[in-house]
Amino acid sequence: MIKLILLDIDGTLTNSQKVITPETHDALIRAQEAGVRLVLASGRATRGLDKFADMLDMRQHHGFYVSYNGAQVVDCETREVWFNQAISVDDARAVLAQMKKFPRIRAMIDRGDYMYVENVFDCNIKFGGGSYVANEGADFNIYDYEAHNNGFLLAEKRDMATTLDWEPNKILTLADPDYLKAHAEEFAEPFRDRLASMFTAPFYYEFTPKGVDKARALREAFEPRGYASDEMIAFGDGQNDASMCKYAGIGVAMGNAVPELKAACDEVTDSNEEDGIAHSLYKHLPEVFG
C-alpha cells in the first residue's frame, strides 16, 4: 500500500506556467484525505517549498520536504529537521574563490529569509528563450526570478569568498547558458572529490555536499521512522530525480522527462501539462480513487 507520494516540483508537480493544474491538485488533496502523505522533493531551498505546501494543505496533512536535492529533510508542519548535510565553510569559500576565475559566473546562497549575493544590481543574464523568458535572447533578471519564486529577500555580502561564515546546504551559481556550459567542468574540477555538482537549469550550476541525493535523504530520514521504499511512489522529470525514482517502490517519469529518467523508471505517465501525476495515482491508488 502506498503511504508516501514523492514529488519533484519544477517540470513535475507544476506545469510550464509554474502552477499546479486543478486535476493534479484535487488528486493530491484526495490522496491526503485518505491518509497518504506528500513529500516535496526538490533542488529548491526549504523555504522555496512552503508555497506549494500551502497550496496542497500539507501542513494539515503532515507532509514533508526533501530540499536542496536531498541535503535536508524537514517536517513541514513542525519544522523539525529530520536530516541535514551541509557544505563546510572552508569548502564553500573555496568554491567562491574559484568562481572569481570565471568573471561571468555569479553565486546565490540562502540563509533564513535571505538570498545572499555580492551585488544585487549584477543580475541580468542572456537566455535564449524557452519556458523562462518569452523573447529569444532577452535579458533575464535572475535574482528577481529566484527570490520571487522562493520567497527570499535579497541581501548583499561583499566578497563571499572571504566573509561567508555559515555552512550552506547548496551553492547556486549562474551565468549565461553558453558561458556556463563552456566553463562548468573546469570550474568544478578542483572539488570533484569533495562536493557534488550539476546543472539544474541551463543557467544554473549548483554545488551540494558529496553523496547527497534524494534517495539517500529518503533512506536516512524515513526508513528509521518505519517507511519502507515499497510504500512510496515517486514522480520526476530530470536526471536529479533518478535516484529517488529508483529507490521508490514505483518510479514514474513524466511524459516530458529527460530520456535518461524515462529509462530508469518503472513507467512513464502523461506530461506535467496533461495531469500525468493524477492519471498515475488513479491507477496506483485504487483504494482512494476506485
Side-chain angles (χ1 to χ4, degrees), residues 8 41-45 66-72 83 169-170 198-200 206 208-209 211-217 239-241 243:
D8 173 57
S42 173
R44 289 178 181 238
V66 174
S67 51
Y68 303 106
N69 271 322
Q72 191 171 89
F83 173 76
N169 291 100
K170 179 174 76 171
M198 71 198 80
F199 279 94
T200 53
E206 66 183 47
T208 56
V212 159
D213 62 36
K214 294 180 182 181
R216 182 187 175 201
Q239 292 183 16
N240 63 329
D241 299 316
S243 68

Side-chain angles (χ1 to χ4, degrees), residues 94-114:
V95 170
L96 295 165
Q98 168 77 347
M99 187 179 71
K100 292 182 178 182
K101 299 177 183 178
F102 306 93
R104 290 168 60 186
I105 299 179
R106 279 95 75 191
M108 293 187 281
I109 303 178
D110 71 278
R111 187 186 194 190
D113 293 339
Y114 295 93

Side-chain angles (χ1 to χ4, degrees), residues 41-103:
S42 173
R44 289 178 181 238
T46 299
R47 183 179 181 85
L49 302 181
D50 283 336
K51 67 179 181 180
F52 300 105
D54 291 341
M55 293 174 191
L56 294 168
D57 297 336
M58 286 176 58
R59 300 183 208 277
Q60 297 93 309
H61 295 290
H62 205 94
F64 307 96
Y65 301 154
V66 174
S67 51
Y68 303 106
N69 271 322
Q72 191 171 89
V73 179
V74 174
D75 181 317
C76 77
E77 179 185 6
T78 66
R79 310 305 286 190
E80 178 185 0
V81 177
W82 282 16
F83 173 76
N84 188 71
Q85 186 172 353
I87 300 171
S88 72
V89 172
D90 286 346
D91 279 344
R93 288 182 174 181
V95 170
L96 295 165
Q98 168 77 347
M99 187 179 71
K100 292 182 178 182
K101 299 177 183 178
F102 306 93

Side-chain angles (χ1 to χ4, degrees), residues 40-248:
L40 301 181
S42 173
R44 289 178 181 238
T46 299
R47 183 179 181 85
L49 302 181
D50 283 336
K51 67 179 181 180
F52 300 105
D54 291 341
M55 293 174 191
L56 294 168
D57 297 336
M58 286 176 58
R59 300 183 208 277
Q60 297 93 309
H61 295 290
H62 205 94
F64 307 96
Y65 301 154
V66 174
S67 51
Y68 303 106
N69 271 322
Q72 191 171 89
V73 179
V74 174
D75 181 317
C76 77
E77 179 185 6
T78 66
R79 310 305 286 190
E80 178 185 0
V81 177
W82 282 16
F83 173 76
N84 188 71
Q85 186 172 353
I87 300 171
S88 72
V89 172
D90 286 346
D91 279 344
R93 288 182 174 181
V95 170
L96 295 165
Q98 168 77 347
M99 187 179 71
K100 292 182 178 182
K101 299 177 183 178
F102 306 93
R104 290 168 60 186
I105 299 179
R106 279 95 75 191
M108 293 187 281
I109 303 178
D110 71 278
R111 187 186 194 190
D113 293 339
Y114 295 93
M115 180 67 78
Y116 287 89
V117 300
E118 290 189 342
N119 180 352
V120 297
F121 300 105
D122 182 22
C123 56
N124 286 343
I125 64 171
K126 287 284 187 184
F127 184 66
S131 60
Y132 296 94
V133 292
N135 299 318
E136 191 77 15
D139 276 354
F140 182 30
N141 187 321
I142 191 72
Y143 293 165
D144 178 70
Y145 171 81
E146 187 68 22
H148 176 77
N149 278 330
N150 292 284
F152 288 114
L153 298 171
L154 286 172
E156 289 184 339
K157 194 172 183 70
R158 298 298 187 189
D159 192 12
M160 289 196 289
T162 59
T163 61
L164 182 127
D165 57 1
W166 71 91
E167 295 184 334
N169 291 100
K170 179 174 76 171
I171 299 173
L172 184 61
T173 69
L174 54 116
D176 301 340
D178 290 344
Y179 185 85
L180 198 55
K181 183 178 180 180
H183 296 284
E185 185 173 343
E186 181 184 359
F187 177 23
E189 182 57 36
F191 313 104
R192 294 294 182 196
D193 296 332
R194 292 145 57 192
L195 300 172
S197 59
M198 71 198 80
F199 279 94
T200 53
F203 45 83
Y204 281 156
Y205 191 81
E206 66 183 47
F207 293 83
T208 56
K210 193 74 172 177
V212 159
D213 62 36
K214 294 180 182 181
R216 182 187 175 201
L218 293 163
R219 190 178 298 111
E220 295 280 352
F222 289 95
E223 285 187 10
R225 293 170 170 84
Y227 291 95
S229 60
D230 61 6
E231 296 172 321
M232 305 177 188
I233 183 170
F235 295 89
D237 73 307
Q239 292 183 16
N240 63 329
D241 299 316
S243 68
M244 174 177 74
C245 289
K246 291 177 182 177
Y247 172 77

